[in-house]
Amino acid sequence: MTSQPESPDDEMIRTVFDVVTEELQPGVRLIRMSGEIDIASTELAARAIRAAVGPPARIVLIDMSAVTFCSSAGLGNLVEARQLATQHGIDLALVGIGRPVDRPLSITGLGGQFRIYASAEDALRERGA
């Protein structure tokens, strides 16, 4: 959970967000995000992405199936992940995209810049991993 002062009386606004990274097999990482990706949680998401999207990974999947809200800050996290993956020659894909993420990706036109799969299993099967 993250917090930031946001209200007129400097009361803390709580945002529920979590991110977990796991290595599915050598060179294959899965970043699972859940909750709300907004200005309050974007730095936590960015740290997890920076830690996962680099050597020795060859495939990184970002699972967004448990994301309930994705602001422009969250889209910025995904763009950063794509840029890091390109820099390091890593195959990046998004998995489990639901309406809270699909809608902003579609509206901004960013959806066409990512490979998107229903599940991590589908992504790995297509990639022969």
Side-chain angles (χ1 to χ4, degrees), residues 33-52:
M33 295 190 184
S34 61
E36 301 173 0
I37 307 173
D38 58 17
I39 194 69
S41 58
T42 190
E43 188 52 40
L44 180 58
R47 281 196 304 268
I49 287 167
R50 290 178 198 130

Side-chain angles (χ1 to χ4, degrees), residues 18-33:
D18 193 31
V19 60
V20 176
T21 301
E22 60 184 285
E23 188 137 353
L24 299 178
Q25 56 192 34
V28 179
R29 294 182 182 153
L30 176 67
I31 304 169
R32 291 183 195 271
M33 295 190 184

Side-chain angles (χ1 to χ4, degrees), residues 48-117:
I49 287 167
R50 290 178 198 130
V53 184
R58 57 185 173 73
I59 297 173
V60 174
L61 306 175
I62 302 177
D63 184 342
M64 309 286 283
S65 61
V67 171
T68 56
F69 176 77
C70 185
S71 73
S72 59
L75 293 180
N77 290 130
L78 298 179
V79 169
E80 179 181 15
R82 189 192 68 219
Q83 290 169 338
L84 287 170
T86 299
Q87 244 179 306
H88 296 293
I90 294 170
D91 188 4
L92 177 78
L94 305 180
V95 300
I97 300 297
R99 183 170 170 78
V101 179
D102 182 51
R103 184 149 171 78
L105 282 174
S106 296
I107 289 171
T108 60
L110 287 172
Q113 298 181 23
F114 293 93
R115 286 190 207 100
I116 299 174
Y117 296 92

